[in-house]
Amino acid sequence: MNDVVIVNCTVTDARAGASKSAEGRIADAAVWIRDDRIAAVGPREQVLERVGEAQRLDLDGAYLTPGLVNMHTHLSLSLPGQGGDNVKNMTAHELVLYMADGARRTLRCGVTTVRCVAEKDHADFALRRAIESGRATGPRIFTAGQALVCTGGHGHEANDTMECDGVDGFRRGVRTQVKAGADLIKIMISGGIAGEHESIDTPQLFSDEMAAALQTAHAWGRKVTAHAGPAAVIAEAVELGLDCVEHGYQLTPEVAKRMAERGTALVPTLLVTRCKEFFDELGVPEWMQCRSLGAGPRHLESYAMALDAGVDVLLGSDMPPFWDFEGTNASVRELECMSEGGLGPAGALYAGTLGPVRWLGADADLGTVEVGKYADLIAMDADPLTDTSAFRGVRWVMKGGRVVRDDRSGWEKQ
């Protein structure tokens, strides 16, 4: 059994930001890890009295938080352009190895859980099994499998989507993903920035198709998230019971208010409308760059509306979580944008940890530094409750009680 006690750290989680809870903020703390879970957490001397001969792991005064959760992940992302074409042209074997490398890099940057929202060929399920069995290194994976899209709809060009039409088609689509092992369902209900023959505000599903997908998923105990841009389309889906909106480029105050009332979360993915450097790196064509970057100002307005209405906003980068971008990785840069856009450091800590796992129904195991939860932890030298950019300094990562990154020694668990 793994038996280690972490010392010389300040425990910080989202409970401290929300309610000034003493359990969420402990200076000179110790965290006892037995096997893959937290056995005790509290002031150092109190914990050490119970520990006995467990190995000590000194974090040199770091701030210790739960690992980040990225709720909009595509490990097999292939945008229009040369970079995306390279991924589309991979064999099945090459694709899985490519995704496994992305998973390893994702975990190393401090993202210990991801929600995949459209992956190619159901390779995500094979990758998840490999990670869970210890044959590959990566974050915990919750996945939608393939996203459901109407014929010719948003994302139909790649095999990370399944084309469906009509009530029966969308019911079958949901059941197909559940059969494969999906934890949630994703539907594409409007156009977006990456579809050449559509616009952001193009409606793509009829009411009966949306209702069929939602009813079937909910009957199987799965939540549904939707790629969605325009307010009118989102409003209709919210009334039908949608659980989460991805992007929300063109919200209105009225629709944001209704989302808050109905408990519909928002994963704003702010980076996707302000990432020219990323697009240039992948060779994304001019038409997509213009559409994406041109949507940026309205996108920020929509995000502000969601915050004003009290919508639960959650971290999701859309870019690969580990991607080097503007001096950090995409997950941290997205969280900074959310914080700078009005959420603030305490809200950002919640949006990157406890909020997502509550949506996933995993808060009994993840999201805070509490007894009984998985030891999925990260450490940094600055205080994330003071400045979200503290996450740029993540230098130590643990998942399930095993250290997978420690910059002090330059060591990485293989």
Side-chain angles (χ1 to χ4, degrees):
M1 176 180 286
N2 182 43
D3 196 1
V4 61
V5 60
I6 301 167
V7 296
N8 195 6
C9 62
T10 297
V11 166
T12 302
D13 66 34
R15 295 170 297 160
S19 62
K20 309 302 181 185
S21 165
E23 289 77 20
R25 182 74 161 189
I26 308 171
D28 193 19
V31 182
W32 183 20
I33 311 298
R34 302 205 77 194
D35 201 8
D36 59 353
R37 293 185 182 259
I38 298 171
V41 56
R44 181 185 347 203
E45 294 307 316
Q46 292 181 16
V47 174
L48 292 182
E49 287 177 0
R50 300 178 52 190
V51 167
E53 298 302 316
Q55 176 188 356
R56 303 294 199 271
L57 199 162
D58 192 316
L59 287 184
D60 300 325
Y63 289 85
L64 185 74
T65 76
L68 294 174
V69 183
N70 193 311
M71 293 282 277
H72 195 117
T73 296
H74 301 284
L75 292 172
S76 58
L77 181 69
S78 57
L79 295 176
Q82 183 60 49
D85 290 344
N86 291 340
V87 177
K88 288 181 183 178
N89 292 332
M90 289 178 179
T91 67
H93 305 90
E94 289 172 328
L95 179 67
V96 172
L97 290 170
Y98 174 81
M99 292 173 65
D101 178 63
R104 179 190 62 82
R105 295 169 68 184
T106 294
L107 178 60
R108 182 165 169 77
C109 77
V111 175
T112 56
T113 300
V114 296
R115 187 186 68 164
C116 295
V117 286
E119 301 290 2
K120 292 179 173 53
D121 288 335
H122 283 170
D124 41 329
F125 299 110
L127 176 60
R128 179 170 64 184
R129 289 191 295 271
I131 292 171
E132 289 175 347
S133 66
R135 296 191 304 271
T137 298
R140 301 183 194 278
I141 294 178
F142 294 80
T143 185
Q146 295 167 309
L148 306 184
V149 56
C150 68
T151 295
H154 184 76
H156 76 278
E157 303 91 346
N159 52 10
D160 52 6
T161 59
M162 177 180 177
E163 288 183 306
C164 309
D165 291 295
V167 169
D168 289 345
F170 276 91
R171 288 197 189 282
R172 181 174 180 80
V174 169
R175 290 168 180 151
T176 298
Q177 304 315 308
V178 172
K179 178 182 176 181
D183 306 289
L184 64 140
I185 299 297
K186 184 183 181 184
I187 55 178
M188 309 292 209
I189 65 175
S190 79
I193 63 174
E196 187 171 7
H197 304 296
E198 63 189 33
S199 63
I200 288 175
D201 59 1
T202 303
Q204 295 196 347
L205 269 64
F206 290 110
S207 296
D208 59 350
E209 293 173 319
M210 281 193 279
L214 287 159
Q215 290 166 0
T216 307
H218 289 163
W220 284 85
R222 269 64 169 185
K223 289 184 176 180
V224 181
T225 194
H227 164 98
V233 171
I234 293 169
E236 184 177 18
V238 167
E239 293 306 317
L240 290 170
L242 182 67
D243 302 293
C244 187
V245 171
E246 309 297 309
H247 314 303
Y249 301 118
Q250 300 170 353
L251 295 176
T252 63
E254 294 76 19
V255 171
K257 179 182 177 182
R258 192 59 177 149
M259 287 175 64
E261 292 170 347
R262 299 276 290 182
T264 307
L266 173 67
V267 180
T269 67
L270 297 176
L271 288 187
V272 301
T273 56
R274 46 195 38 80
C275 60
K276 181 171 175 51
E277 175 187 329
F278 174 67
F279 289 154
D280 288 343
E281 188 174 353
L282 294 182
V284 169
E286 186 66 18
W287 65 262
M288 180 177 165
Q289 295 212 29
C290 288
R291 185 185 300 174
S292 172
L293 302 176
R298 182 69 175 86
H299 194 185
L300 279 180
E301 291 175 4
S302 293
Y303 175 64
M305 293 172 191
L307 293 183
D308 288 345
V311 174
D312 204 9
V313 297
L314 310 173
L315 168 64
S317 62
D318 206 351
M319 267 192 219
F322 57 83
W323 205 272
D324 291 334
F325 184 69
E326 296 185 349
T328 185
N329 61 71
S331 300
V332 171
R333 189 68 192 104
E334 175 72 24
L335 200 59
E336 288 177 333
C337 287
M338 294 174 72
S339 182
E340 294 159 4
L343 191 57
L349 181 59
Y350 177 87
T353 56
L354 184 55
V357 300
R358 283 179 171 169
W359 192 94
L360 292 167
D363 46 316
D365 291 316
L366 301 167
T368 55
V369 188
E370 291 185 82
V371 172
K373 297 198 175 184
Y374 284 119
D376 290 6
L377 305 168
I378 59 178
M380 65 215 77
D381 290 321
D383 184 355
L385 281 178
T386 300
D387 186 352
T388 302
S389 293
F391 286 104
R392 287 180 176 242
V394 169
R395 59 171 172 81
W396 180 92
V397 179
M398 170 181 277
K399 181 198 166 195
R402 307 294 180 182
V403 176
V404 295
R405 173 181 172 184
D406 188 343
D407 289 0
R408 293 170 300 181
S409 63
W411 175 82
E412 179 184 351
K413 183 178 176 63
Q414 301 300 314

